[in-house]
Amino acid sequence: MILNKQMEDKSYNNNTRVRFAPSPTGFLHIGSARTAFFNWLFAQKSNGKFILRIEDTDIARHQENTVNLIMNSLKWLGINWDEGPDVGGDYGPYRQSMRINIYKEYAQKLLNEKKAYLCFCSPEVLKKKKEVALKADKFYRYDRKCLKLSRKDINQNLNKGIDYVIRFLVPDNKIINFNDTVYGQISIDTKIIEDFIIVRSNGLATYNYSAVIDDILMKITHVIRGEDHLSNTPKQILIYNALNTKPPSFTHLPMILGQDGTKLSKRHGSISIESYKDEGFLPEAVLNYLALLGWSYGEKTTIFSKDDLIKKFNLNSINKKPAKFDYSKLLWLNGHYIRNSDNEILKELIKERMLKNINFKSDDTLIKSTENLDEKLDKIIPLIKERPKTLQECDSLISPFFFKIKYSTEIINYFKNKEISATKILNGAINSLSGPIVNSEDIEKNLRLLSEKLDVSFRKIAELIRIAIWASKVSPPLFGTIEILGKELTLERLKNYKNLL
RNA sequence: GGCCUGUUCGUCUAGUGGUUAGGACAGUAGGUUUUCAACCUACCAACAGGAGUUCGAUUCUCCUACAGGCUACCA
């Protein structure tokens, strides 16, 4: 075991270069975030470089603003890159749309070496051939019609201006072997791989080709990506071979699925990192949860800080089984991280959300005093921090301190048919809270006295006061709440509620 | 259709040729408590199925089933 670890540590060296290569078709997907994170962790652990590359070869699908969206989400998670479109680096540019000529150059090289050829077959014709084959339950693969074209035919076609693509010539009768860190030894016979297109008729490279060119030129040593790319790997290895370069090490990560076992998508709930941020998740919790999907350490550890993960993370202990995304475990983890957050940090996060969501100047449901927001939050946060699972829940736990409360009909009628005399208790409470009160201990003492005096259980009294001052059956600890609310506001709410009865 | 990959409690996972198959989340019950949480205790709950190898298989092999991926001028 120890020996293993040492051997493995040897393979880490600071020449390690990994990359995260998202396609900017939308926000940062939770599954992509894990891929990015595992790459990042491996780079940190190896003292290597983490590269961000934008795979925007498909102009039709890519949207410019999503590049920033993705970068912002990565930054929010604390996943920083050593080289990338914004920070540059020695192997740029880091956007495929800016590397078109590079792909062309290498395609020409392959063409010259007869490792690739021009194909003039139209997509319509090919589609038809494919349909026919599939209908007959036959295996389909491109028939290499254009490989047989003579120089003369080719020139004629070119002169006529017929659209063409460049296809990679897949060698016959070869077995591609590679060793995946997670899935082990994989062998594929080239007879099932067709001569795939590497440059489209519009001159742009396709994924399986451009990714390899970039990985070669960017000196990527370890490719860590989703399991959906496992089947693409043999094709890519073919290109490494054709260019006489050594393929990197491959690690494919098991997929993240929705609760029903299908691909994680919008109907399963939030899938973008952005929405987790908005819902009030902490990046630490999200990363911790993501790390637990497909990877584990030892037998009993679940909570990992980022530093822990850098120390303990290990590609060899990634498992093969696809994982279903469990929102409730993430919630639990987030609650854990909120509870254990530093109060100052929590305050800043909460403040940021408050300031973003409300307009203090014009909101007329606001209670006058927000000028000493910091001071108030300093008191409120220790009172509530054990409760919320998200920052969003913090917002609502805190809001009655700052906003006017509204009694629902359920709350107004709550004591209607109960045997206690709400009015009497409220009067008593108003009375006993009107005296000199310093802190929550005094408040509790006075209310316990009231309980004795009226011969009503303390629980009942607390319930009634809670409902009166919070318009809810649930509140932060009552006495602390009253203390922070202040005598004036507390009495006002008690009276208001009494008048509604 | 072809090829690749996978299958341990509901979920994430640990683990082994002989274990009462361990932990965490969720769930249930109880305790604590001014409510809700938090916290503590207990409970619930799994080796997909079938052959084979073996004294013995959850563990090794094969088959089946199911699931996922690839099979695009998407990435």
Side-chain angles (χ1 to χ4, degrees), chain A residues 289-343:
Chain A
Y289 180 68
L290 254 22
L292 260 23
L293 252 29
W295 177 85
S296 66
Y297 182 80
E299 208 169 293
K300 282 171 188 164
T301 329
T302 15
I303 306 288
F304 295 97
S305 70
K306 226 154 64 173
D307 287 342
D308 280 340
L309 286 169
I310 292 171
K311 277 195 214 113
K312 293 171 177 166
F313 181 75
N314 168 272
L315 290 180
N316 295 322
S317 41
I318 294 171
N319 64 25
K320 303 172 200 222
K321 193 185 138 192
K324 292 178 188 164
F325 192 86
D326 184 6
Y327 190 80
S328 65
K329 190 154 187 174
L330 207 209
L331 265 183
W332 169 76
L333 266 168
N334 202 53
H336 171 88
Y337 277 96
I338 288 179
R339 261 177 264 136
N340 291 287
S341 280
D342 182 83
N343 288 349

Side-chain angles (χ1 to χ4, degrees), chain A residues 58-83:
Chain A
D58 188 5
I59 289 172
R61 289 211 311 168
H62 113 250
Q63 299 159 274
E64 188 51 41
N65 59 329
T66 60
V67 175
N68 284 328
L69 220 59
I70 288 171
M71 294 204 294
N72 287 339
S73 289
L74 287 171
K75 281 179 194 160
W76 178 71
L77 287 170
I79 298 176
N80 54 308
W81 47 97
D82 301 295
E83 297 167 27

Side-chain angles (χ1 to χ4, degrees), chain A residues 433 437 439-447 479 482-483:
Chain A
L433 293 176
I437 290 166
N439 54 32
S440 60
E441 282 85 39
D442 291 334
I443 294 164
E444 179 170 5
K445 209 160 61 190
N446 285 350
L447 292 179
F479 319 121
I482 292 173
E483 183 192 335

Side-chain angles (χ1 to χ4, degrees), chain A residues 268-287:
Chain A
H268 294 109
S270 306
I271 49 166
S272 73
I273 291 300
E274 215 191 0
S275 54
Y276 283 98
K277 182 189 176 197
D278 291 345
E279 286 170 32
F281 285 86
L282 303 181
E284 295 85 345
V286 174
L287 290 179

Side-chain angles (χ1 to χ4, degrees), chain A residues 141-152:
Chain A
R141 132 195 215 235
Y142 176 60
D143 59 11
R144 290 187 165 169
K145 188 178 164 219
C146 290
L147 181 60
K148 293 155 200 141
L149 254 36
S150 67
R151 190 69 244 174
K152 203 176 128 200

Side-chain angles (χ1 to χ4, degrees), chain A residues 66 89 106-107 216 287 374-375 413 436:
Chain A
T66 60
Y106 282 88
I216 292 171
L287 290 179
D374 266 75
E375 202 182 305
N413 296 327

Side-chain angles (χ1 to χ4, degrees), chain A residues 151-211:
Chain A
R151 190 69 244 174
K152 203 176 128 200
D153 294 332
I154 293 172
N155 285 335
Q156 251 172 26
N157 283 341
L158 288 174
N159 287 338
K160 276 191 230 159
I162 299 175
D163 273 354
Y164 66 89
V165 298
I166 303 176
R167 282 185 189 271
F168 182 80
L169 179 59
V170 174
D172 290 316
N173 304 317
K174 265 184 102 171
I175 307 287
I176 314 281
N177 289 301
F178 69 99
N179 186 54
D180 185 89
T181 317
V182 173
Y183 292 93
Q185 199 64 36
I186 304 215
S187 304
I188 302 282
D189 196 323
T190 54
K191 76 178 176 208
I192 62 144
I193 305 175
E194 73 170 356
D195 292 344
F196 54 95
I197 293 169
I198 58 174
V199 177
R200 304 179 178 97
S201 55
N202 63 8
L204 298 180
T206 57
Y207 165 74
N208 278 311
Y209 169 65
S210 60

Side-chain angles (χ1 to χ4, degrees), chain A residues 381-442:
Chain A
I381 284 167
L383 210 58
I384 59 129
K385 76 186 280 195
E386 304 229 312
R387 285 147 237 275
K389 295 232 180 340
T390 63
L391 294 176
Q392 206 164 59
E393 284 178 32
C394 287
D395 299 347
S396 52
L397 269 167
I398 285 176
S399 107
F401 283 115
F402 296 98
F403 295 92
K404 290 177 183 161
I405 55 171
K406 254 189 150 146
Y407 302 101
S408 68
T409 37
E410 191 212 344
I411 287 297
I412 293 169
N413 296 327
Y414 190 71
F415 293 98
K416 274 271 159 70
N417 298 315
K418 303 246 157 85
E419 283 176 19
I420 59 167
S421 165
T423 314
K424 197 168 138 200
I425 297 169
L426 282 169
N427 278 331
I430 290 164
N431 196 23
S432 65
L433 293 176
S434 296
I437 290 166
V438 186
N439 54 32
S440 60
E441 282 85 39
D442 291 334

